[in-house]
Amino acid sequence: MIVYYKRSQLKKYMKTKFIGLVIVLLSGISYAQQDAQYTQYMYNTTVVNPAYAGTRESLSVFALHRAQWVGLQGAPSTNNFSINTPIGNNVGLGVSFMNDKIGPSDENNIAIDFSYSIAISEAYKLSFGLKGSANLLNVDFTKLNIYNPGDPRFQDNIDNRFSPNIGVGLYLHSDNTYFGLSAPSLLQSKHFDGTANNSATSFIAAERTHYYLIAGHVFDFSDNLQFKPSVLSKIVQGAPLQVDLSGNFLINKKFTAGLAYRWDAAFSALAGFQVNDSWFIGYAYDRETTQLANFNSGSHELFLRFELFKRNEKITSPRFF
């Protein structure tokens, strides 16, 4: 559903010789980004994997704002808020809210996460996750520069189109290693099927199932220096494989700094500060490596995390994931 908008809006910014190239590029991106994109996925894991809920052994409150492709009209803007906590020894619960704006579309999603963990060895636990979500989609076609105003696809706005969904996840973790596999939205949602006057099936836009693989490991170089490489891979039908690679250093258990690379898309710089046992703030900046870099000044991501530890336990070494 985003393809038509990006094609029309980007024509204002491109020289003629780049139009064909960028349209092809963005057509692929529009499929890959049906789910909101995050550079700091390692701190926002419940969004992609419900099995993560409660595994930090604390009440964790998280808020994030992402401004993508700043300076490009109609570029994505995402806000996310979530809470998750352990319940007893093996159960985790969480709730999250997400607002994602792209061009004429405004999407709101609320989700509830449930996890159950079992110990499979002295070091590792395996968590099973279930996500239930509700989505509301609004699309205002009057915000478009439509080449053909008579096109039946753009005659009627979409107002609060409701679609429920379910998701699942697995999360294997120890004190310094984790692996996760998940599909946060298993049901395929279709849009525009009621707006066409002719053959409706030719105008359907489907939100496809996204599959996520995450992994990371913490290396202890010394008491005051840890290093964590991590990876997130996203697979969705009709789009190229997306891989995010990152490496973060934790210095004096207070400061984090690192770099990330989104395959064939962007480089990122990340930084964070553990203010005290409860508060952590982080920032990331992305710079495109594609032709799209000529038409925006990059992407910014800012988050804040607040945690209350179980039974008022004081954590002297904040967990790195």
Side-chain angles (χ1 to χ4, degrees):
M1 64 184 175
I2 302 165
V3 176
Y4 304 107
Y5 173 74
K6 288 182 175 177
R7 287 181 178 178
S8 60
Q9 292 294 334
L10 284 172
K11 287 180 180 179
K12 294 182 176 181
Y13 299 88
M14 301 173 196
K15 296 180 180 179
T16 303
K17 63 181 179 180
F18 289 130
I19 291 178
L21 174 64
V22 179
I23 287 177
V24 172
L25 171 69
L26 290 182
S27 295
I29 291 175
S30 66
Y31 283 105
Q33 286 194 9
Q34 288 177 326
D35 281 4
Q37 179 173 275
Y38 303 98
T39 297
Q40 299 174 116
Y41 57 86
M42 65 289 294
Y43 302 111
N44 197 24
T45 310
T46 54
V47 172
V48 299
N49 193 332
Y52 185 79
T55 61
R56 285 186 58 82
E57 296 296 328
S58 65
L59 171 66
S60 184
V61 182
F62 185 90
L64 177 145
H65 172 72
R66 178 177 175 85
Q68 187 165 325
W69 302 337
V70 173
L72 186 64
Q73 184 177 356
S77 175
T78 304
N79 292 289
N80 178 261
F81 177 81
S82 65
I83 302 175
N84 73 91
T85 185
I87 304 294
N89 294 322
N90 300 315
V91 175
L93 292 176
V95 62
S96 64
F97 172 80
M98 186 270 297
N99 173 259
D100 194 30
K101 296 181 180 179
I102 307 177
S105 70
D106 188 342
E107 197 166 7
N108 292 294
N109 181 278
I110 187 168
I112 296 176
D113 298 310
F114 170 85
S115 72
Y116 184 80
S117 300
I118 58 174
I120 60 174
S121 71
E122 290 185 3
Y124 282 89
K125 286 185 177 182
L126 180 62
S127 300
F128 303 86
L130 181 65
K131 181 186 291 285
S133 61
N135 196 79
L136 287 176
L137 173 68
N138 291 276
V139 182
D140 184 359
F141 292 116
T142 63
K143 295 181 179 179
L144 297 175
N145 295 324
I146 302 174
Y147 177 75
N148 178 13
D151 193 323
R153 283 170 285 196
F154 308 111
Q155 297 306 303
D156 299 312
N157 289 337
I158 295 178
D159 297 315
N160 293 319
R161 176 72 61 83
F162 173 78
S163 55
N165 221 312
I166 57 173
V168 294
L170 292 174
Y171 186 67
L172 176 68
H173 56 101
S174 67
D175 288 340
N176 56 14
T177 304
Y178 65 90
F179 299 93
L181 180 65
S182 61
S185 299
L186 288 172
L187 305 180
Q188 180 173 279
S189 300
K190 296 181 179 180
H191 305 294
F192 305 146
D193 51 328
T195 64
N197 295 323
N198 301 318
S199 176
T201 57
S202 64
F203 300 142
I204 286 176
E207 294 186 7
R208 304 177 187 273
T209 301
H210 293 59
Y211 300 95
Y212 292 89
L213 173 66
I214 58 174
H217 180 77
V218 178
F219 294 91
D220 290 312
F221 292 154
S222 71
D223 289 341
N224 295 315
L225 181 63
Q226 288 80 40
F227 174 64
K228 185 188 72 174
S230 60
V231 61
L232 178 145
S233 180
K234 181 194 297 184
I235 302 172
V236 57
Q237 182 184 357
L241 174 69
Q242 180 176 306
V243 179
D244 287 38
L245 302 170
S246 67
N248 278 287
F249 288 93
L250 176 61
I251 305 166
N252 293 327
K253 300 181 176 62
K254 286 287 186 181
F255 301 95
T256 62
L259 297 173
Y261 175 60
R262 182 168 298 117
W263 195 266
D264 284 340
F267 281 103
S268 306
L270 304 88
F273 177 58
Q274 187 78 42
V275 180
N276 53 37
D277 289 341
S278 295
W279 291 98
F280 182 71
I281 187 170
Y283 170 78
Y285 173 77
D286 301 350
R287 187 62 182 172
E288 291 289 316
T289 59
T290 68
Q291 292 288 348
L292 192 60
N294 297 321
F295 311 104
N296 73 89
S297 60
S299 303
H300 302 271
E301 198 171 279
L302 180 69
F303 77 84
L304 185 66
R305 185 178 67 196
F306 174 76
E307 293 186 315
L308 290 176
F309 297 106
K310 282 183 62 177
R311 304 181 186 92
N312 294 320
E313 294 175 355
K314 181 178 176 64
I315 305 299
T316 58
S317 180
R319 212 178 87 180
F320 204 3
F321 60 89

